[in-house]
Amino acid sequence: MFNLFLLQALNGVQFGILLFLVAAGLTLIFGIMDLINLAHGVLYMVGAYFAATFTALTGDFLLGLAIALPAALLFGLVLEFLIFRHLYERDHLDQVLATFGLILILNEGVKIVWGAAPMSVPIPELLSGSIPLIGPLQYPFYRVVIITAGLATAVGLWLLVNHTRVGMLLRAGAVNAPMVSALGVDIRRLFMLVFGFGAMLAGFAGAMVAPILSVEPGMGDGVLILTFVVIVIGGVGSVRGAFVAAILVGLVDTLGRTFGPIVLRAVMDPSAASQTGRTLAPMLIYILMAAVLFFRPSGLFPAKGAAA
Amino acid sequence: MSAGTSDVAISGAVPDVAPRRGGVLAGRGSALAAALIFAALAVLPPIASAIGDPFLVVTATRIVVFAIAALSLDLVLGYGAMVSFGHAAFVGLGAYAVAILSSHGIDDVLVQALAAIGACALFALVTGAISLRTKGVYFIMITLAFGQMAYFFMVSLSAYGGDDGLTLSARSTLFGLPVLAGDIPLFYASLAVLALAFLGLRALTLSRFGRVLRGTKENPVRMQAIGFRPFAFQLTAYVIAGALAGLAGVLLANQAEFVSPAYMSWQRSGELIVMVVLGGMGTLVGPIGGAIAFLLLEDWLALFSEHWKLGLGVLLVLLVLFTRGGIAGGVERLFGKARP
C-alpha cells in the first residue's frame, strides 16, 4: 500500500509540475494584462506538435526540443501581434469569444497540418529506463526528468520574478498595470514579453509530455480547464500561488483517483465503493476549488492583496 | 442624482417606461422582431411538408431548443453582466433528467420537466452562490470549472451510460399519451416554450427586478450605495436562467432521443455564448436570432468542408476584432439611425 502511495504521489507531483508550467504563464497573462486567454491550452498542444515534428526531422528528442522552444516562443509572439494585441483594451466577453475562436482555428488547424491521428514520440534512449526507489520499487526515469526540469524551471522563474528588473516590473504589473505604464514603462513591450514567454512555457510543457502522452488535436482543452482551477486556487497573477496550487491539484487528482475507491471501501461494500469512488474522484479538484474559494475568494496567494 | 430621485428608485416606484439605454430592439422593436421570428417558425412545418423536406422540422426544433438555452443565458450575460461559461451544464442536466427518469419508467413530461427544473435550480443555487463571491476572470473560470465538474460527473456515471450516453426508449408522454411522438408536435411544443420563455423573461427584465439587475450591470457600487444587495438579484437571475436552460435540455433530449455528456462540454457553453453575443446580448430577441444564425451557419459551413470549425473560428475572431453588437447591433445601426 505504501509503495502504491509513493508511486502515485510521484505521478501526482509530475502531473502538478506540468500544470505549473502551463499555469505560470497564464496566471501572469491574467494578472498583468487582465486578459482571459482560453487559447493557452492550444499553445500547449502546439508545443507538443512542434516537439513531435522536430524530433522526427532531426531524429533526436533533445535537439527537437531545442528547436521546439524558440518555435513556440515565435508562435506566441505571432499570435500576440495578430490577435491578442487588439484584445487588451476589450472587455472580458470579447476576449472569451476571440480566444474561443482561436481554439477552434488551432484545433482544426493542427488536424489539417498533421492529420487527426495521434502522433507518438519515442522516449529518447538516454532518458529511458527506470531508476530504483525503495526496495524493488522502480520509477520511470523520464518522469523523474520531467519533475526535475519542471522544478528547475520553477526555480528559474522564482529568480526571474523576485530578483531581476523585469521580474520587478512583472510583480508591479500584476498589482497595478496602469500605474506601471504611467511611470514610463513600455507596458506594451512588457505584455508582449509575458505573452511570448508564457507561450513558450506552455509549449515546453507540451513538448515534455509528448513522449508519454499521445499528441493529438484537442489535447490542450482538458489541460486548460485544470490550469484554470490551478490559477483560481493559487490566486490570479501569483507564480508562487500557481506552483503551490498546481502541486496540490496534481496530488489530489492523482491520489483521489487511486485511493478514493480504496478509502470508500472501508465504509461501503466494494462494488458501490468503486462506483462512487470513480464518480467522485474527477470531481475532487473542483470541490477543492469551491472550498478554497468559499474561504478565500481571491485564491491562496492573491497578487493584488485581499481587496482584489 | 438628488436624494429625492434615489428615494424613488429605492421604493421601486419608478414610472414603467421603456428602458432608456438600448435602442430599437430593447423596446417595442424587440417584441415586433420576436413576433416576426415566431410567426416565420410557426408556418415552417406546412412549408416543409409542401416542399417535401420533413427534415427541415427536425433542424428547426434543434434551433428552437438552442434558442431557449441562449435566451436563458442572455438573462445572465446580457442583463446580469455575469460571463457564465458553464451554461451548457444546465442543458445537459435537464436532458439527463429526462433520460434517467425514463430509464426508471417515468415518462411523463411534466414530472421530467419539474425534476429538470428542480435539479438545475439547485445546481445553479449552489454553484452560483460560490461563483458570485468572485468577479471578472475568476467568475468566468469558476463557472467553467463547475460546468466541467458536472460534465465529468456524467462521464463517470457508468450506471447511466457514462461517456457513451443513454438512448431514450421513447419520447416523453403527457398523462400517458404520446403527444410528443411526432416531430411536428414536438416542434410546436418547443416553439410554445420558446415564446412563453421570451414573454416571461421580457416581463421579468422590464420589472423592478430587471431594472435592479441592469443597474447592477451598469454600476454595482452605486446600487449597493442606494441600498440593494446585488448578490441576491444576480443569484436569482442565475437560478432562473439555469432552470430555463434545464427546460431546454428536456426538449433537447426528446428531440435527439439520446443524451450524452457531450451536451455539457465547455465547447457547448462557448457556443451558447457565441449565439448570445452574435445575436446581440441584453435584447432577448437577439439571442434567438443568434441561435438561428449560428446553427444555420454551422450546417452551411459543414457542407463545404470537414474542417468547418476552422471557418467558424476565423469568423468569430474577425467578428470580435472588427464589429460590435452582433446581429442586433447591426439592425439597430440600420434602423436606429433613421429615427430622430
Side-chain angles (χ1 to χ4, degrees):
Chain A
M1 183 64 96
F2 175 76
N3 288 350
L4 181 64
F5 180 80
L6 190 68
L7 281 180
Q8 291 300 334
L10 276 173
N11 282 340
V13 168
Q14 181 247 308
F15 186 43
I17 290 277
L18 281 177
L19 288 179
F20 167 71
L21 289 178
V22 185
L26 191 57
T27 196
L28 286 174
I29 290 171
F30 280 151
I32 297 175
M33 311 174 192
D34 197 27
L35 174 89
I36 176 129
N37 178 16
L38 300 178
H40 209 69
V42 291
L43 295 173
Y44 162 90
M45 174 185 72
V46 166
Y49 270 101
F50 280 165
T53 308
F54 293 127
T55 302
L57 280 180
T58 60
D60 181 60
F61 177 72
L62 291 179
L63 201 57
L65 184 66
I67 306 174
L69 283 184
L73 176 71
L74 190 69
F75 189 73
L77 289 177
V78 168
L79 282 186
E80 200 273 348
F81 180 76
L82 286 179
I83 296 174
F84 287 91
R85 182 165 292 191
H86 310 286
L87 294 175
Y88 297 144
E89 308 289 319
R90 301 296 193 84
D91 60 20
H92 288 145
L93 196 57
D94 279 353
Q95 297 166 354
V96 163
L97 283 176
T99 53
F100 181 67
L102 199 56
I103 292 178
L104 296 179
I105 294 174
L106 291 179
N107 271 344
E108 215 50 51
V110 297
K111 253 186 231 174
I112 294 172
V113 176
W114 283 284
M119 293 170 80
S120 64
V121 179
I123 295 181
E125 200 67 43
L126 191 65
L127 307 177
S128 62
S130 301
I131 56 163
L133 292 173
I134 315 161
L137 216 56
Q138 303 259 319
Y139 197 69
F141 182 53
Y142 187 73
R143 288 180 184 259
V144 178
V145 171
I146 293 182
I147 294 176
T148 315
L151 285 178
T153 312
V155 171
L157 263 179
W158 179 78
L159 287 174
L160 178 79
V161 168
N162 289 302
H163 294 281
T164 65
R165 194 180 153 74
V166 172
M168 185 184 69
L169 292 178
L170 289 180
R171 277 176 292 138
V175 176
N176 192 337
M179 182 56 86
V180 174
S181 175
L183 289 174
V185 175
D186 186 350
I187 198 96
R188 294 245 151 199
R189 217 180 58 198
L190 186 68
F191 281 6
M192 206 173 92
L193 193 86
V194 171
F195 196 88
F197 194 64
M200 191 171 78
L201 279 180
F204 179 52
M208 289 305 283
V209 293
I212 54 174
L213 294 180
S214 65
V215 179
E216 55 192 343
M219 67 183 278
D221 296 1
V223 170
L224 174 80
I225 315 266
L226 289 175
T227 307
F228 279 1
V229 173
V230 165
I231 291 172
V232 167
I233 292 178
V236 167
S238 163
V239 175
R240 186 173 53 142
F243 184 77
V244 174
I247 301 293
L248 197 64
V249 167
L251 281 175
V252 166
D253 193 54
T254 311
L255 293 178
R257 281 171 203 270
T258 317
F259 290 97
I262 296 177
V263 171
L264 283 172
R265 218 166 284 164
V267 288
M268 45 173 101
D269 68 283
S271 70
S274 68
Q275 169 63 40
T276 317
R278 254 182 294 137
T279 311
L280 282 182
M283 297 172 70
L284 266 183
I285 51 165
Y286 301 104
I287 297 169
L288 174 75
M289 179 193 72
V292 168
L293 282 178
F294 192 78
F295 294 107
R296 300 184 69 118
S298 3
L300 294 175
F301 301 96
K304 297 189 193 207
Chain B
M1 188 189 271
S2 74
T5 53
S6 61
D7 277 347
V8 173
I10 293 168
S11 68
V14 179
D16 198 8
V17 292
R20 268 161 289 158
R21 255 179 52 87
V24 198
L25 281 177
R28 200 165 297 149
S30 154
L32 182 68
L36 284 175
I37 291 176
F38 294 153
L41 285 170
V43 297
L44 197 94
I47 294 175
S49 63
I51 61 174
D53 190 0
F55 192 71
L56 209 58
V57 177
V58 177
T59 308
T61 311
R62 227 172 84 80
I63 288 177
V64 168
V65 168
F66 278 101
I68 299 170
L71 187 65
S72 70
L73 182 60
D74 194 26
L75 181 67
V76 172
L77 199 65
Y79 290 89
M82 297 171 270
V83 183
S84 164
F85 212 122
H87 208 63
F90 298 111
V91 179
L93 282 178
Y96 265 98
V98 172
I100 290 176
L101 284 176
S102 159
S103 75
H104 289 288
I106 303 169
D107 283 324
D108 195 275
V109 70
L110 292 181
V111 178
Q112 291 172 341
L114 270 181
I117 289 172
C120 288
L122 189 69
F123 186 65
L125 188 69
V126 174
T127 60
I130 296 171
S131 308
L132 278 171
R133 284 170 63 84
T134 65
K135 291 187 204 69
V137 289
Y138 278 99
F139 185 84
I140 302 175
M141 289 189 277
I142 289 160
T143 48
L144 179 58
F146 278 130
Q148 282 303 103
M149 186 177 93
Y151 171 79
F152 283 120
F153 180 75
M154 287 310 174
V155 165
S156 54
L157 201 62
S158 49
Y160 296 106
D163 210 4
D164 299 329
L166 202 59
T167 306
L168 264 64
S169 54
R171 281 186 184 162
S172 304
T173 57
L174 185 65
F175 304 124
L177 299 170
V179 285
L180 297 177
D183 283 336
I184 291 178
L186 183 69
F187 170 75
Y188 279 116
S190 306
L191 188 59
V193 172
L194 175 64
L196 285 177
F198 174 77
L199 290 176
L201 285 187
R202 192 175 147 77
L204 188 73
T205 51
L206 290 175
S207 72
R208 176 171 174 275
F209 174 84
R211 286 197 299 274
V212 175
L213 204 58
R214 272 205 306 276
T216 306
K217 176 188 176 183
E218 302 287 314
N219 193 336
V221 177
R222 183 175 293 172
M223 288 312 282
Q224 253 169 336
I226 60 173
F228 290 105
R229 268 187 77 212
F231 177 82
F233 287 88
Q234 288 179 317
L235 184 59
T236 310
Y238 194 73
V239 170
I240 293 172
L244 185 56
L247 205 55
V250 171
L251 294 167
L252 184 64
N254 273 296
Q255 187 266 323
E257 295 182 55
F258 171 73
V259 297
S260 88
Y263 290 171
M264 331 173 71
S265 73
W266 67 283
Q267 284 93 341
R268 287 277 163 289
S269 297
E271 287 172 13
L272 285 175
I273 296 182
V274 173
M275 289 174 199
V276 173
V277 178
L278 186 71
M281 53 175 185
T283 60
L284 291 185
V285 68
I288 299 176
I292 297 173
F294 182 86
L295 291 171
L296 288 181
L297 187 72
E298 210 180 66
D299 284 353
W300 184 64
L301 284 175
L303 289 180
F304 293 105
S305 156
E306 55 169 327
H307 299 298
W308 59 272
K309 278 190 176 165
L310 185 77
L312 192 65
V314 171
L315 215 65
L316 258 181
V317 172
L318 293 179
L319 199 75
V320 171
L321 292 184
F322 298 109
T323 69
R324 289 291 180 87
I327 297 174
V331 172
E332 294 210 341
R333 275 195 294 279
L334 215 59
F335 292 100
K337 273 178 192 158
R339 303 190 171 197

